[in-house]
Amino acid sequence: MTKQVRFAYKNIFHSPAPQQQPQLSYSVSSGPSSSGPITPPSAYSHGLPGPMPVSYAATHPQPSSKSSKPSSSKYSAPVRVHPYLETSALSYNMMDHPSTATRNGHSLSSKTFREPATSPPLPFLALTSQYLPWTIKVYASNGSYVTLEDVLICAYRSLRTNITTLDFNSFPSSNDQRRATRAYEQRYRRLKSTRAYDEEKRGGMKRVDFLMGHSKFLGISNNSLRPHEWHLNVT
């Protein structure tokens, strides 16, 4: 049976409600888009995952004008990451909301979420991944420095963005397209609630599916001379 694959431009988030987390400012790199259903690529003549577009009113707050990319010459010592952002410090699946992240079996406190993501604190971080053709831009929601919560929330919201036909066609091979499609199917099939299952399926393919199943968060690491450039590690 031929799989039906479609996109929905609108985003729906299904996750546990965060515990009174403050509104965060964030930015997501993306290409231009248009309204209405996407014309499916020839390789998937019956459409891309996610039958029909669904309604969702989303707002994307702009970063504060005070936030700016840090200069490398400003920092004489290496920038260190928050201990909870180090390799395997958290148990967290990036398909889910950051409020589900745990440390040694315990949920993170609101105080921990508000702690600086780096030392010294930085007003901006750029996260990249070998699996993603986009950069996840993280701005300081408090107008001063990026927090642990900013990193997790911005990454989550970026990965919950619906992909386009152009995005889908950017995969280097049809095998990668199939792997991403399987990741989409596994994402909604894991949900036990019938309502959540149906809504997640209708939501269509999202950027998180570009991880092709590698959605376990392993932290971030800085491998460049620029203090604001970080690599998103997943497995």
Side-chain angles (χ1 to χ4, degrees):
M1 181 180 294
T2 304
K3 294 183 179 178
Q4 290 193 351
V5 188
R6 293 185 191 169
F7 292 115
Y9 273 109
K10 306 296 182 178
N11 300 323
I12 288 186
F13 304 125
H14 301 290
S15 57
Q19 301 177 352
Q20 296 184 346
Q21 296 171 354
Q23 180 67 39
L24 300 178
S25 299
Y26 63 96
S27 172
V28 178
S29 298
S30 62
S33 62
S34 58
S35 60
I38 301 297
T39 302
S42 56
Y44 291 82
S45 58
H46 286 79
L48 294 170
M52 295 298 294
V54 290
S55 298
Y56 175 76
T59 57
H60 299 268
Q62 296 300 315
S64 167
S65 58
K66 295 181 181 179
S67 298
S68 60
K69 295 182 181 180
S71 168
S72 352
S73 59
K74 182 178 178 180
Y75 302 94
S76 56
V79 176
R80 293 180 291 114
V81 73
H82 189 287
Y84 284 16
L85 293 176
E86 292 178 348
T87 304
S88 300
L90 293 178
S91 178
Y92 173 49
N93 190 321
M94 301 192 75
M95 290 189 291
D96 302 319
H97 193 276
S99 61
T100 63
T102 60
R103 164 84 167 177
N104 297 327
H106 300 284
S107 299
L108 307 187
S109 67
S110 56
K111 179 179 180 295
T112 298
F113 271 121
R114 292 193 298 267
E115 292 175 356
T118 60
S119 178
L122 298 175
F124 169 82
L125 296 180
L127 309 181
T128 58
S129 168
Q130 67 195 72
Y131 298 104
L132 303 174
W134 311 279
T135 296
I136 300 173
K137 297 179 180 180
V138 185
Y139 292 91
S141 62
N142 57 22
S144 179
Y145 56 83
V146 171
T147 65
L148 173 64
E149 183 177 49
D150 291 335
V151 171
L152 298 180
I153 285 288
C154 287
Y156 171 74
R157 287 179 172 168
S158 173
L159 293 176
R160 290 292 297 180
T161 301
N162 283 96
I163 66 171
T164 66
T165 301
L166 184 63
D167 295 331
F168 192 78
N169 289 336
S170 71
F171 280 112
S173 69
S174 58
N175 182 56
D176 285 340
Q177 290 179 333
R178 286 191 293 269
R179 292 174 64 191
T181 301
R182 284 197 298 269
Y184 155 72
E185 294 169 344
Q186 293 167 359
R187 175 162 54 81
Y188 67 77
R189 286 173 178 169
R190 71 195 177 99
L191 301 174
K192 297 180 180 179
S193 164
T194 301
R195 179 178 178 181
Y197 174 103
D198 291 339
E199 290 182 345
E200 190 74 358
K201 182 178 180 179
R202 284 198 304 269
M205 290 191 74
K206 301 182 184 296
R207 290 181 175 184
V208 69
D209 301 320
F210 266 64
L211 298 179
M212 294 182 284
H214 302 282
S215 58
K216 182 180 179 182
F217 179 72
L218 287 185
I220 62 175
S221 55
N222 180 274
N223 298 319
S224 72
L225 297 177
R226 297 182 176 88
H228 67 280
E229 294 183 353
W230 294 78
H231 184 75
L232 176 63
N233 302 313
V234 295
T235 185

